[in-house]
Amino acid sequence: VHERHRHRYEVNPEMVKELESNGLHFVGRDADTGERMEILELDNHPYFVAAQYHPEYLTRPLAPSPMFLGLLLAASGQLQGYLSGEDVSQDMDTKLKL
């Protein structure tokens, strides 16, 4: 992920193993050292994702950031189908309209 990073908060690297053993998984780390946690997910939750970057800067209405697309897919009950390769584009036109 090449996005603008926010530098306000960081995870203490000494706590990563303990946090991960309790279901919080760091799925994205900085490319330079691997010490800075960039993206996390929570086990046993339909869609719990957090990031240390600004996905809103590069997202566009017809080209959403994967984080925002995942949120919309999860909220409309289509995330698992999308992740397994199903074509959800027909359903998205119907389910994502407000």
Side-chain angles (χ1 to χ4, degrees), residues 1-70:
V1 176
H2 296 284
E3 303 262 4
R4 181 176 169 189
H5 177 79
R6 72 180 86 205
H7 293 282
R8 194 163 294 213
Y9 305 104
E10 292 191 13
V11 176
N12 181 345
E14 295 174 6
M15 298 296 297
V16 170
K17 283 187 180 180
E18 182 177 347
L19 292 168
E20 288 189 328
S21 70
N22 286 290
L24 194 64
H25 297 281
F26 296 96
V27 297
R29 298 173 185 226
D30 75 292
D32 297 329
T33 65
E35 292 283 320
R36 190 171 57 225
M37 305 300 120
E38 297 287 349
I39 306 168
L40 66 83
E41 295 179 352
L42 183 64
D43 277 347
N44 301 319
H45 192 281
Y47 192 76
F48 187 105
V49 178
Q52 277 286 78
Y53 61 89
H54 293 275
E56 70 275 12
Y57 286 161
L58 298 180
T59 198
R60 300 292 178 261
L62 297 177
S65 163
M67 247 174 92
F68 295 139
L69 178 60

Side-chain angles (χ1 to χ4, degrees), residues 61-62 64 68-70 72-74 76-79 82 86-98:
L62 297 177
F68 295 139
L69 178 60
L72 293 173
L73 289 168
S76 63
Q78 301 174 84
L79 182 60
Y82 178 82
E86 292 177 23
D87 180 14
V88 296
S89 59
Q90 297 299 321
D91 289 340
M92 283 176 43
D93 288 341
T94 304
K95 290 184 178 180
L96 295 180
K97 287 184 180 177
L98 299 177

